[in-house]
Amino acid sequence: MNFHVTVLKILVSYPDGFAVMADLKRDMAILATSGREWADRTRRIAAGVPDLDLFSQGLVERLNGGWRITDKGRAVLDFMEARPVEVEAELGASAEIPASEKATPRLLASTRDARSRRLQRRRAAREKARAKA
């Protein structure tokens, strides 16, 4: 179940909801190794839709070497992330969604940027080492 929620969250963070498989796998690996918080969050989100299936329910479609979230997929994700009215009433009007739950697309983008910078530094160091040899 966490896999399905993670896929939906990743795809919704991409322009047009489309990601090639390499990007999808990389983002899945990042989130899977990010700690217990992500697993707990996806488990909590998935509790609203126990029989979630990406392809048979038409939430995600396969296109050109990647996956794209459908409008139905976005609607299901919005439904799963919506806080129940009872919880809102108990928490009061001042309750706010934690920043960690708002920042998933930004987190993935910043992680991609950091990875890109690391790769550039490694390439530069390799080229420098080759030039010295």
Side-chain angles (χ1 to χ4, degrees), residues 29-40:
I30 291 167
L31 291 171
T33 59
S34 67
R36 188 165 186 87
E37 182 181 314
W38 180 255
D40 292 343

Side-chain angles (χ1 to χ4, degrees), residues 15-119:
D16 298 327
F18 177 81
V20 294
M21 289 307 296
D23 291 340
L24 191 60
K25 287 178 183 179
R26 183 192 64 240
D27 291 346
M28 290 280 289
I30 291 167
L31 291 171
T33 59
S34 67
R36 188 165 186 87
E37 182 181 314
W38 180 255
D40 292 343
R41 180 175 174 214
T42 56
R43 200 172 296 117
R44 189 173 59 249
I45 291 171
V49 182
D51 296 327
L52 187 66
D53 188 86
L54 297 176
F55 297 106
S56 68
Q57 294 175 344
L59 308 178
V60 172
E61 59 186 357
R62 294 179 183 101
L63 295 171
N64 303 328
W67 292 355
R68 177 179 292 154
I69 189 170
T70 63
D71 291 335
K72 184 176 179 183
R74 288 178 193 276
V76 168
L77 185 60
D78 289 342
F79 171 77
M80 289 189 302
E81 290 182 320
R83 297 179 119 183
V85 176
E86 305 86 49
V87 173
E88 288 286 334
E90 288 177 17
L91 294 175
S94 63
E96 197 172 304
I97 296 173
S100 63
E101 292 193 14
K102 293 179 184 176
T104 301
R106 182 175 294 148
L107 170 71
L108 293 175
S110 66
T111 305
R112 268 183 252 146
D113 293 342
R115 182 174 185 264
S116 177
R117 286 191 299 272
R118 280 195 313 271
L119 290 173

